[in-house]
């Protein structure tokens, strides 16, 4: 049972210049989303990040909004938030798999994304995971984005070249 396990959490990175994070949230389950947002904002503030937020209709639109922001706006990292609760149809599987896959592909292209889209069997699981005083998955997603921003900045400007030496 996840609620009784202990996990190691990396300390938040520190930054020598400001960090801009964008929270992209699908507030389909508004109370769950609000808790995820609270956790993400608190973690961003703890790292000294400037945090903006936008809402999209559903979890499938979160990656598209992040892709647009990555191309058209000026953010260092992104926090994907939302909740998908299993229902009676296979739509749950489509939403979970496709939103996660799209976020992973954006990350592989260089976007610094923390994935806090909950995929759960029932509302009780979502409430525990979203609660900032509980599992704080919104805060964890923000921390993941911040760690990727730190790595991106660490490695920025370094190049392995293409095999030729001057």
């Amino acid at each position: 049972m996840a609620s009784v396990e202990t996990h190691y959490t990396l300390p938040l990175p520190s930054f020598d210049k400001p960090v801009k994070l964008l929270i992209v949230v699908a507030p389909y389950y508004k109370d769950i989303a609000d808790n995820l947002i609270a956790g993400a904002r608190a973690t961003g503030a703890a790292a000294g990040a400037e945090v903006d937020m936008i809402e999209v209709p559903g979890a499938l639109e979160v990656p598209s909004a992040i892709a647009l922001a990555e191309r058209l706006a000026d953010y260092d990292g992104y926090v994907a938030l939302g909740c998908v609760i299993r229902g009676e149809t296979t739509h749950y599987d489509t939403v979970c798999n496709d939103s996660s896959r799209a976020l992973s592909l954006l990350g592989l292209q260089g976007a610094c994304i923390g994935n806090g889209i909950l995929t759960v069997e029932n509302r009780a699981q979502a409430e525990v995971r979203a609660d900032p005083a509980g599992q704080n998955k919104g805060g964890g997603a923000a921390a993941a984005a911040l760690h990727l921003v730190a790595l991106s900045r660490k490695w920025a400007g370094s190049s392995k070249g293409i095999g030729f030496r001057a």
Side-chain angles (χ1 to χ4, degrees):
M1 181 173 199
S3 63
V4 297
E5 292 183 24
T6 57
H7 303 274
Y8 176 73
T9 302
L10 293 173
L12 288 177
S14 58
F15 298 95
D16 55 359
K17 68 177 201 169
V19 173
K20 285 182 64 176
L21 287 181
L22 177 64
I23 294 172
V24 179
V25 62
Y28 189 81
Y29 298 101
K30 183 86 167 88
D31 58 326
I32 302 296
D34 287 345
N35 273 341
L36 290 167
I37 293 164
R41 284 191 182 278
T43 297
E50 176 186 330
V51 179
D52 293 336
M53 187 190 81
I54 59 167
E55 293 180 337
V56 296
L60 288 174
E61 290 75 36
V62 171
S64 297
I66 290 173
L68 287 168
E70 181 73 354
R71 281 196 314 274
L72 303 172
D74 186 27
Y75 289 98
D76 298 300
Y78 306 92
V79 184
L81 300 178
C83 179
V84 186
I85 299 175
R86 185 178 296 280
E88 297 175 355
T89 69
T90 58
H91 184 65
Y92 170 86
D93 297 311
T94 298
V95 174
C96 294
N97 292 333
D98 289 358
S99 63
S100 179
R101 183 177 299 111
L103 291 173
S104 293
L105 288 172
L106 287 168
L108 291 172
Q109 294 171 6
C112 300
I113 303 171
N115 184 353
I117 298 177
L118 303 179
T119 56
V120 297
E121 298 294 320
N122 55 57
R123 173 171 272 282
Q125 289 177 349
E127 290 169 351
V128 168
R129 285 160 177 75
D131 185 355
Q135 290 187 12
N136 193 20
K137 295 298 184 181
L146 289 164
H147 282 287
L148 292 172
V149 169
L151 284 175
S152 176
R153 287 184 177 181
K154 175 181 179 178
W155 292 328
S158 65
S159 174
K160 294 183 180 181
I162 57 171
F164 300 102
R165 297 207 190 274

